[in-house]
Amino acid sequence: MMEKAKTGALALLVALSLLQSYFLAYSFPSLGARESSEMSYVPTEKMGPEERIENLLFPENMVLHFGGDRHTVLYPDTVAYNQIWEKLQSREFRGFQRIGGQAQDWEQVRSRYGGIELRFGYGVPPELLRKVLRLEEDMLLMEERIARIWIYRIAELDQIRVYLFSADGQTVYESRRADITVSDIHEYISFGARQPMYRTTDGNLYLPEQPLEAMEATATYDMYTPDQLLRNLNFDAGATKSFKDRSGTQIYTDSKRGLQVEQDGRWVRFTNPVAVTDSATQPSDSAYTAVSFVNSHGGWDGLHRLVLAGSTEYGRSVLFQQYYLSRPLLSAPLFRIGAMRLTVQQGVVTDYERSLVTLSGGAAEHTVRYLPGGDELAGRLAQYERRFEVEALYPALRTSQAGDMRVRLTPVWAVRLRDGTQETLASALPAGMEVEPAQAAGADKLPTGGEQDEAGGGAQDGAQDGASADGPDEASGVDAEGGETGDASGTGGADDAADGASGADADSAASGGANAEGADDSAGREAADGADGTPADANSGA
Amino acid sequence: MDWSRAKSVLIISFLVLNIVLGYQLWTDLRDRLDTGGELSQQTLELMQQKDILLLGNVPDKAPELSNLEYRFTTTPGEPERVELETPVESRIIFSEDELRDGLGDIIPELDHYAYDPEISTTDVFVLYWMADGLPMFDVELRLYIQDQQIIAYSQDRVEQVQPDGAMPQQVLSASEALQLLIENTLQPGTVIQEIRLGYHGQMFDSEDQYSAPSWRVLLQDEPLPYYVHGVSAEVSTETEPTSGDTEQDPMGEGRQ
C-alpha cells in the first residue's frame, strides 16, 4: 500500500516538474521582448559629404582699418580673407581682462589706427571659438558670446591691442598676452591693401565707395530625392503614411516624426517633437549635435558657416548658411535653398529644414555684374523702410529658377534685420553697364608714415608692383600706358601705386584709377587717359 | 535493491526540484503582474529619490493596438468658437444622458465625444473624440463655462477614423511608460496627476492626420501633457500644428 502511494507521488512529482519546466520555457515569455516585426534597420544610405565643426566656424567678414578713416571689408572664401584667417589661427590669445564697453573711444580707434576686426555676426561661444582660434581657457569668458575680435596697433606707442567684444556690445575683454606683433598687423593689412575702399558711419555697416564687382552665375544642380532622405532618417516604410496638406506640401509621417516636402521636392522639413524640460542647453552642445545630425542625414554641399541665431532661440536654434562663389546664398521664396536650419532640444534635433538641391557638382556660367556702391547704396539704405532694424549689410546671391534643373544666382545687396530675416536691399546694376572702378582702400596708410618696418615695406612693394604693372591682373589701369585693356579687378593696383607714392588720401588716390575701368575697349582708352598722370606721381614717390 | 528507499530519495529530490521551479514561476508571474498595474520597486525608489509623486492610478491594461488614420473636417488646432444662444447648466457634463439632452441638438456628433475631467478646468470642459473606447487627444470638443453655465463651444470634427491596416502591436504598459518618464524626463519635485491611454500624433497643417497609441501623462502645474508613444516609447509634448509655412522663423528666407 505504502509502495503504491510512493509510486503515485513520484509519478505526480515527475509530471509536475515537467509541466513547470514547460511553462517556464514557453508560456511566460520574458517581458520587454516586444515584437518589432516591421522594424527593420536598414543601414542608412550615405548622402552628402561630412563636415567638421572647425570648417564651419569663421568670421562673417573681416574689416581692415588702414587709419585715416579708410577701411575695407573682406568676405569669406576670398584670397585675402583666407590668408589672414589662416595666420590668425596660429596666434594665441591669452590673459583676458574685462573692461567696460566705453573704456575706449572706439570711433577714434577705428578711424585712426590700423587694425583688423573679425566679425562673427550673432556671436560665438568661446568654447566653440576655441576650436578655430587659440583662446586661453578662462572662466571670465565662459558665458559670453564673442561677436567681434578687434586687433589694432597704437601708432604712437607702436603697440598691439587685442579686444574681444561680447554680442551685446556691453562687455569688452582685453587679451593682454596675445602673441600678435606689429609686423603681423602690417602683414594682415597688406593682404587687403588692394581691396575696394569702404566707408562707415556707425562702425557696423560698411558701404563700398564704388560699385562692387560680383559674379552672376547660372548653375545646373542635382537633387536628392525625398525617398533617399526618408530612408536615411529611418522612416519605417510599413508604418509611414503620406498625404498632402492644404498648401500642396507632401507630408510623410509615422505619427511621431514628420517629413514635409515642398517645392517639387527641393525643400524638406523634418520635425520630431520631444518633451521639453527646463534644463538649459549649452549652445556649443547644440552646435555639435546639429553638425553630426547633418553629417548623417543629408550632408553638406560646399561651404557653410555656423550661425547660432537670435536671442530667444539662442542655444536651440542652429543655422548653417551656405556660400557659393564666396557669397552667402539668399533664398527666394520660390526657390528655397542655401541655409539649413535646425532646432536642438536636449540633444535631440526636433526640427531640420534644408534644401535637397546640391550645387557643387553642377557646371556653371559666370557673368560679371556690379553691385551699387557709394552714395547710391547709401541712398538705398536710407530709404529702406526698416532702416533702423538693419544689423548687417553684405553682398549675397539671390536664387531663382533658370529652367530645368538650373538655378540662377544673382548678386544683390542683402540686409539682415534684428529679427533675423534677410532681405534684398538693392539689386545689381544692369548687366553690361559700365562702372566706375572700385577704389582700393589703399596701401599701408598707417599714420606713422615715416616708419619703414618690414611689413609696411611689403605693402609698399605691392604698391610699386602696381605701378610697374607687370600683369593684366595687377594694376591694368596703369598698364594703359602701353596697352589698352582695362580690367576692373586690377584697378586697385593703380590706386595702390598712387597712394603709396604720394601718400595722399583716398580722394586724390582715386584719380589714379578713376577711369581705368572697363572690360571693353572704350573704357580701356579712358583708362589710358586717367592713368596718364599717375605713373609720374608713382615714379616720383618711389 | 531497496526500491522503497530509492523511491523515497527520488520523491524528495523531485519535491525539491518542484519547489525550485515553482518559485521561479511564481517570481515570473509576480513580475508580470507588477508591470501591469503597479510600479516596480526600482521605479518607486527612483520616485522617492527625485521626489516625484503619483496621484492617479496606474492602469493595468496594455492592449494590442494599431495606429489610426483620420481626416479633419475642421481646421486642426483652430476650431471655430460657437456661442450658445441659450446657455446650459454646466453640471450636465457629469451625466451623459443629460449632456445629450441638453446639447445633443446643438453640437453635432456629440455622441462621439467623452468628457475628460482630469484635463478640464473650471472654465473649460474638454471632451475627446473616442475611437474604440480610447480618446483621441488631438480631437477636442471644448465647452466654455461662465457662472456655471456652458456659454460656448469649439469643436474639432473628424471623419474616416480607421486603423492604418498594419498589424496591431502590443503597447507599453502604463508602468513602463511611467518608468521611462521618471527615469529620463521628469524634473525632481514633479507631481504626476494621471496617466491615460489614447491616440496622439504629430499634427500637421493638413486634413489628413495619423496618430499612434500613446500614454498621456498629465502633470500638476504643467499645462501641457507629456505623451509617451505606445510602441517606440518616445516622449513628446504637445505641439502646434506643424505647417509648411516657415516665413515667420528667425533667419527666414529673403524677400524681394
Side-chain angles (χ1 to χ4, degrees):
Chain A
M1 191 61 210
M2 183 68 181
E3 287 309 301
K4 269 221 170 110
K6 270 187 171 176
T7 313
L10 187 58
L12 190 78
L13 283 171
V14 170
L16 195 63
S17 66
L18 283 172
L19 192 72
Q20 289 200 55
S21 307
Y22 174 80
F23 277 145
L24 266 180
Y26 295 105
S27 222
F28 295 103
S30 157
L31 288 150
R34 212 163 294 285
E35 287 210 36
S36 51
S37 51
E38 286 166 58
M39 291 254 223
S40 47
Y41 285 100
V42 197
T44 55
E45 191 178 341
K46 188 94 170 51
M47 291 173 72
E50 298 193 358
E51 193 58 280
R52 292 156 58 90
I53 200 160
E54 291 89 321
N55 302 329
L56 303 165
L57 275 168
F58 48 86
E60 186 174 23
N61 54 50
M62 293 180 188
V63 180
L64 295 185
H65 306 288
F66 297 94
D69 205 14
R70 306 176 56 193
H71 320 273
T72 192
V73 181
L74 304 177
Y75 299 103
D77 202 27
T78 55
V79 177
Y81 177 103
N82 288 345
Q83 280 174 325
I84 296 174
W85 183 232
E86 205 173 295
K87 300 242 177 217
L88 277 172
Q89 285 184 303
S90 62
R91 292 286 172 259
E92 280 185 57
F93 299 85
R94 289 182 296 147
F96 296 109
Q97 197 165 0
R98 188 200 299 255
I99 63 168
Q102 308 306 322
Q104 293 269 7
D105 182 357
W106 298 112
E107 220 151 284
Q108 201 195 355
V109 171
R110 178 165 56 241
S111 61
R112 273 186 73 185
Y113 299 132
I116 177 168
E117 254 183 274
L118 311 180
R119 312 209 297 170
F120 290 93
Y122 286 107
V124 181
E127 270 173 275
L128 285 180
L129 210 50
R130 219 165 271 134
K131 283 268 161 196
V132 286
L133 288 174
R134 295 167 66 185
L135 298 187
E136 185 183 40
E137 260 187 75
D138 195 327
M139 293 297 285
L140 200 61
L141 290 178
M142 276 267 276
E143 293 295 313
E144 276 300 350
R145 282 156 71 183
I146 308 298
R148 281 188 298 159
I149 299 178
W150 193 342
I151 306 159
Y152 66 88
R153 165 176 175 252
I154 301 179
E156 297 83 21
L157 303 171
D158 206 17
Q159 281 179 354
I160 297 296
R161 292 274 186 274
V162 179
Y163 291 102
L164 281 65
F165 292 73
S166 68
D168 59 11
Q170 297 305 308
T171 329
V172 181
Y173 299 90
E174 180 173 4
S175 165
R176 288 281 167 105
R177 285 179 284 119
D179 64 350
I180 297 170
T181 63
V182 173
S183 63
D184 284 334
I185 283 291
H186 279 296
E187 191 186 9
Y188 302 153
I189 292 175
S190 71
F191 287 138
R194 290 176 198 176
Q195 299 297 321
M197 192 161 90
Y198 283 67
R199 66 165 92 145
T200 183
T201 49
D202 58 359
N204 182 32
L205 306 182
Y206 285 80
L207 285 67
E209 292 285 1
Q210 301 293 325
L212 195 67
E213 187 185 304
M215 281 292 178
E216 180 177 83
T218 312
T220 53
Y221 60 80
D222 288 325
M223 259 170 59
Y224 296 114
T225 62
D227 277 348
Q228 269 178 297
L229 194 62
L230 274 177
R231 278 199 301 274
N232 182 279
L233 287 163
N234 258 324
F235 271 84
D236 173 6
T240 302
K241 284 281 169 281
S242 112
F243 38 77
K244 276 209 161 45
D245 84 353
R246 290 155 205 280
S247 57
T249 302
Q250 187 76 34
I251 296 172
Y252 299 87
T253 177
D254 62 3
S255 85
K256 170 72 169 55
R257 306 177 300 160
L259 186 76
Q260 297 172 57
V261 182
E262 294 168 41
Q263 305 204 331
D264 300 331
R266 288 196 303 260
W267 186 263
V268 290
R269 178 169 180 206
F270 168 72
T271 43
N272 179 26
V274 295
V276 191
T277 51
D278 296 333
S279 56
T281 315
Q282 280 292 319
S284 47
D285 294 342
S286 298
Y288 287 120
T289 308
V291 171
S292 75
F293 190 86
V294 176
N295 276 345
S296 39
H297 303 295
W300 306 85
D301 172 35
L303 184 68
H304 287 78
R305 188 170 63 86
L306 171 75
V307 180
L308 294 168
S311 47
T312 49
E313 295 286 290
Y314 184 63
R316 296 203 291 133
S317 174
V318 183
L319 180 108
F320 298 107
Q321 172 66 53
Q322 188 180 359
Y323 281 73
Y324 187 78
L325 296 174
S326 314
R327 301 281 191 231
L329 291 181
L330 181 66
S331 82
L334 291 176
F335 195 98
R336 296 181 69 179
I337 171 180
M340 298 186 223
R341 206 168 287 131
L342 294 92
T343 307
V344 183
Q345 289 179 348
Q346 265 107 47
V348 178
V349 173
T350 57
D351 206 321
Y352 173 44
E353 274 189 277
R354 67 167 294 154
S355 167
L356 291 181
V357 167
T358 55
L359 290 171
S360 43
E365 294 161 16
H366 297 167
T367 334
V368 176
R369 297 283 297 268
Y370 288 89
L371 290 169
D375 294 337
E376 189 181 347
L377 180 60
R380 295 292 280 275
L381 189 61
Q383 282 163 26
Y384 181 59
E385 72 257 34
R386 296 172 76 182
R387 167 68 186 90
F388 295 103
E389 295 171 55
V390 174
E391 276 193 341
L393 171 74
Y394 49 91
L397 289 173
R398 196 179 58 214
T399 57
S400 57
Q401 183 87 42
D404 188 34
M405 297 299 272
R406 289 171 74 78
V407 58
R408 178 172 296 118
L409 303 160
T410 324
V412 292
W413 278 111
V415 287
R416 191 178 61 232
L417 305 177
R418 202 171 296 143
D419 64 4
T421 41
Q422 304 178 48
E423 291 200 359
T424 303
L425 177 72
S427 320
L429 301 171
M433 180 165 171
E434 282 175 34
V435 179
E436 297 273 294
Q439 283 183 4
D444 188 7
K445 277 292 291 177
L446 295 170
T448 53
E451 284 179 34
Q452 284 290 332
D453 59 53
E454 203 186 325
Q460 288 217 333
D461 286 349
Q464 282 166 14
D465 282 351
S468 63
D470 42 14
D473 281 335
E474 275 190 351
S476 46
V478 183
D479 196 30
E481 211 179 8
E484 54 182 79
T485 51
D487 177 351
S489 67
T491 55
D495 294 333
D496 292 355
D499 247 277
S502 62
D505 68 12
D507 290 334
S508 72
S511 69
N515 298 311
E517 191 302 288
D520 53 347
D521 286 349
S522 67
R525 199 152 298 127
E526 279 184 5
D529 293 337
D532 266 350
T534 324
D537 281 356
N539 289 336
S540 67
Chain B
M1 194 187 302
D2 188 350
W3 266 112
S4 166
R5 203 127 166 221
K7 268 187 212 166
S8 301
V9 170
L10 281 170
I11 284 172
I12 290 164
S13 31
F14 268 97
L15 202 62
V16 170
L17 177 66
N18 270 301
I19 288 167
V20 170
L21 288 175
Y23 175 76
Q24 202 78 47
L25 266 176
W26 182 69
T27 47
D28 266 23
L29 211 65
R30 196 190 54 182
D31 278 358
R32 192 173 142 97
L33 291 176
D34 258 6
T35 47
E38 268 172 61
L39 295 173
S40 69
Q41 196 58 38
Q42 197 189 345
T43 316
L44 289 172
E45 275 166 26
L46 197 67
M47 281 172 72
Q48 216 156 33
Q49 272 172 34
K50 288 178 88 171
D51 192 22
I52 291 174
L53 215 64
L54 174 64
L55 298 181
N57 293 325
V58 183
D60 51 7
K61 273 187 303 191
E64 290 198 348
L65 296 170
S66 302
N67 291 357
L68 279 190
E69 284 178 88
Y70 60 99
R71 177 180 279 259
F72 266 91
T73 52
T74 52
T75 310
E78 26 187 288
E80 203 183 329
R81 180 177 156 134
V82 183
E83 305 291 329
L84 294 183
E85 280 172 21
T86 45
V88 184
E89 288 278 312
S90 65
R91 62 177 165 71
I92 62 165
I93 192 79
F94 301 111
S95 151
E96 266 184 47
D97 291 336
E98 282 182 45
L99 185 65
R100 200 180 309 122
D101 291 344
L103 289 169
D105 297 335
I106 302 163
I107 301 175
E109 297 180 286
L110 184 64
D111 289 351
H112 279 104
Y113 297 86
Y115 175 54
D116 186 339
E118 293 291 338
I119 201 161
S120 298
T121 63
T122 48
D123 296 331
V124 183
F125 292 162
V126 179
L127 293 86
Y128 290 118
W129 185 282
M130 302 300 281
D132 291 331
L134 290 174
M136 291 169 67
F137 297 124
D138 304 318
V139 187
E140 285 181 349
L141 167 61
R142 287 166 168 261
L143 303 177
Y144 298 94
I145 315 299
Q146 207 172 50
D147 301 329
Q148 290 167 11
Q149 303 265 310
I150 301 171
I151 54 154
Y153 72 92
S154 64
Q155 185 184 24
D156 293 317
R157 291 177 64 186
V158 292
E159 59 179 20
Q160 298 172 26
V161 180
Q162 55 189 353
D164 69 343
M167 277 265 291
Q169 298 220 40
Q170 169 77 48
V171 298
L172 290 176
S173 69
S175 53
E176 282 174 297
L178 277 178
Q179 189 178 344
L180 275 166
L181 268 183
I182 290 165
E183 274 172 16
N184 305 325
T185 315
L186 295 182
Q187 299 291 308
T190 316
V191 179
I192 302 169
Q193 194 179 327
E194 191 220 28
I195 176 162
R196 185 173 186 196
L197 187 62
Y199 292 95
H200 168 73
Q202 188 185 162
M203 296 291 280
F204 296 94
D205 184 22
S206 90
E207 288 168 0
D208 295 286
Q209 305 286 345
Y210 191 48
S211 63
S214 303
W215 289 99
R216 183 193 65 181
V217 180
L218 278 179
L219 307 180
Q220 239 173 28
D221 308 321
E222 182 102 35
L224 291 179
Y226 285 80
Y227 292 98
V228 183
H229 193 284
V231 178
S232 69
E234 286 173 294
V235 180
S236 59
T237 40
E238 195 142 322
T239 48
E240 294 297 306
T242 311
S243 74
D245 176 28
T246 48
E247 234 153 305
Q248 69 270 35
D249 266 12
M251 306 302 292
E253 78 259 7
R255 274 181 281 142
Q256 273 183 260

